[in-house]
Amino acid sequence: MINIYPEASRFRTDLDWLTSRASFSFGEHYDPDNTAFGPLRVFNDDIIGAGRGFGGHPHREMEIVSVVLRGQLKHEDSTGRKAVTGFGGVQRMSAGTGIIHSEANPADEECHILQIWMTPSESGLEPSYETSSFDPEALKNRLLPIVARGGGEGIADIHQDLTMYLSRLDAGKLVEFRQDAGRRVYLFVIEGELSVNGSALQRGDAARITEEPELNLEAAGEEAFFMLIDLP
């Protein structure tokens, strides 16, 4: 089953320093029928203005991944960790028993990120943080893992049985993904147009997919840049 959620259906926040599109209930936006997809709790597409950001705030029992698509993102937290990440960089924070952190755009240009929250597979973890990086050229016409349980070279670790992939397909190119029984897939189009088993998705659209053993993902326009998350 492929359920498509068009960009227009997402929760919108438009401030003088932040443009955000939320796929699930978040902050002041609440829909009791749209709070999660498996362990996936937050999937926000954020553009942060130059020199602005989210001040210090607490988190508990959540895995938080920030994928930088454009510009720079600065992280600081109550454990003393600091980092600045650009395109090709991923920040993963395990809030565990409790942490305070901030995220800001330190540059004089906009910062575009995907911010993704997952419930962990176990509670009571010690708070932790890491950055990882991937080669943007390696996204070309393949599904490149960037976050996964156990981590790896260029892959951030996460305390959940999932894998996040990025891909950038040339016009007419196709990649296949096999969905194991009992699992689900979340798909999000960052740029361009994508066809999944014949269903069309535009920029900003998402799909929540279950009981589809094989997925055929094809760039329907000049190019398609997208994220695929394999979830329990």
Side-chain angles (χ1 to χ4, degrees):
M1 181 181 298
I2 300 175
N3 292 318
I4 296 176
Y5 292 75
E7 194 277 339
S9 71
R10 303 171 77 215
F11 300 111
R12 305 169 67 90
T13 299
D14 294 293
L15 305 174
D16 63 346
W17 64 275
L18 173 69
T19 299
S20 180
R21 302 293 178 262
S23 294
F24 302 93
S25 295
F26 186 80
E28 64 182 19
H29 304 295
Y30 181 69
D31 177 353
D33 297 322
N34 187 21
T35 60
F37 185 57
L40 178 58
R41 293 292 186 265
V42 170
F43 194 104
N44 290 355
D45 183 7
D46 292 344
I47 297 177
I48 306 169
R52 305 296 295 273
F54 305 94
H57 56 283
H59 290 285
R60 292 177 61 88
E61 305 298 355
M62 196 67 66
E63 300 288 295
I64 298 175
V65 175
S66 298
V67 180
V68 181
L69 302 176
R70 173 167 50 90
Q72 295 182 321
L73 183 68
K74 180 179 180 180
H75 165 96
E76 295 186 64
D77 65 48
S78 53
T79 69
R81 296 177 178 89
K82 298 180 181 180
V84 177
T85 307
F87 180 53
V90 175
Q91 300 184 9
R92 189 274 304 163
M93 184 178 74
S94 296
T97 55
I99 196 169
I100 297 172
H101 85 135
S102 64
E103 287 184 304
N105 175 3
D108 58 3
E109 62 176 350
E110 290 182 337
C111 174
H112 184 189
I113 67 170
L114 298 179
Q115 186 161 121
I116 304 155
W117 300 9
M118 303 280 182
T119 54
S121 56
E122 57 184 304
S123 60
L125 295 169
E126 181 180 352
S128 64
Y129 173 81
E130 71 169 314
T131 61
S132 61
S133 60
F134 60 87
D135 178 4
E137 290 299 315
L139 303 176
K140 186 71 74 172
N141 298 322
R142 61 172 291 203
L143 289 166
L144 180 72
I146 61 169
V147 179
R149 169 169 274 177
E153 184 177 354
I155 304 173
D157 192 8
I158 192 166
H159 298 98
Q160 183 53 266
D161 179 22
L162 64 85
T163 304
M164 297 183 188
Y165 300 88
L166 282 177
S167 180
R168 191 184 290 274
L169 298 181
D170 292 330
K173 291 292 185 178
L174 180 145
V175 293
E176 298 177 344
F177 182 81
R178 187 165 189 85
Q179 185 182 59
D180 291 339
R183 295 185 66 83
R184 65 193 85 203
V185 165
Y186 185 82
L187 190 65
F188 180 76
V189 180
I190 301 167
E191 295 174 4
E193 301 176 17
L194 184 71
S195 170
V196 53
N197 289 6
S199 296
L201 282 80
Q202 310 292 322
R203 180 182 184 275
D205 292 351
R208 304 179 197 183
I209 303 171
T210 57
E211 300 175 356
E212 293 281 341
E214 296 183 3
L215 300 178
N216 294 309
L217 306 155
E218 182 178 5
E222 293 184 358
E223 185 179 73
F225 182 25
F226 64 95
M227 173 174 279
L228 184 151
I229 309 178
D230 175 32
L231 296 156

